[in-house]
């Protein structure tokens, strides 16, 4: 009974001295690297994915490109249409969901401005605490 060569699919006879490795049987002439065609020995070969490879062409199990922080953030971001729809619904269906008329933009425009001078800080303290101890005359 004869085996067939894993590479060329032709019959192999015992007199041809086949090379047997895990995952296949090869003619001596067919026992070469799948990528570069270098003739291999049992010491220089690596069997992976049903083929034989030399040490420098072993297929990698790791992906070529990993997920970086930017890609992970983009995948976790809410979808554009979902966010716009939610803002419009919260506004009672009025106004746009983005741009100058957006609910968030209008709210920020009407928000109280932070005090920037000592006099304004004193006025803010009076408003919040109801005392005039911070005013200077």
């Amino acid at each position: 009974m004869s085996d067939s060569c894993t590479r060329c699919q032709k019959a192999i006879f015992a007199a041809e001295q086949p090379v047997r490795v895990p995952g296949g049987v090869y003619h001596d002439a067919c026992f070469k690297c799948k990528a570069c065609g270098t003739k291999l020995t049992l010491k220089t070969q690596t069997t992976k994915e049903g083929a034989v490879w030399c040490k420098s062409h072993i297929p990698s199990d790791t992906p070529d490109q990993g997920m970086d922080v930017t890609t992970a953030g983009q995948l976790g971001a809410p979808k554009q249409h979902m966010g716009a729809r939610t803002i419009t619904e919260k506004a009672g269906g009025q106004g746009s969901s983005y741009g100058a008329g957006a609910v968030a933009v209008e709210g920020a425009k009407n928000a109280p401005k932070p005090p920037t001078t000592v006099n304004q800080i004193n006025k803010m303290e009076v408003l919040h605490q109801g005392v005039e101890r911070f005013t200077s005359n």
Side-chain angles (χ1 to χ4, degrees), residues 19-132:
V19 180
R20 295 181 188 279
V21 292
V25 180
Y26 296 86
H27 288 111
D28 189 46
C30 294
F31 192 61
K32 46 190 169 179
C33 176
K34 183 177 181 179
C36 63
T38 304
K39 183 141 173 60
L40 301 171
T41 65
L42 290 175
K43 288 186 178 184
T44 61
Q45 67 87 26
T46 300
T47 306
K48 191 166 193 172
E49 299 174 0
V52 288
W53 308 84
C54 64
K55 302 287 185 199
S56 59
H57 291 109
I58 300 170
S60 174
D61 287 334
T62 58
D64 292 335
Q65 179 181 354
M67 184 178 294
D68 60 356
V69 176
T70 306
T71 307
Q74 290 171 350
L75 291 175
K79 304 294 181 228
Q80 227 178 19
H81 67 279
M82 295 177 79
R85 186 173 167 188
T86 306
I87 291 171
T88 305
E89 287 172 357
K90 285 182 181 177
Q94 298 174 355
S96 77
S97 59
Y98 58 90
V103 174
V105 173
E106 291 300 319
K109 283 178 22 184
N110 298 331
K113 306 296 183 258
T116 54
T117 65
V118 173
N119 223 8
Q120 289 174 332
I121 292 172
N122 290 339
K123 288 178 186 176
M124 291 299 290
E125 289 291 330
V126 169
L127 287 173
H128 289 291
Q129 296 181 4
V131 294
E132 296 185 14

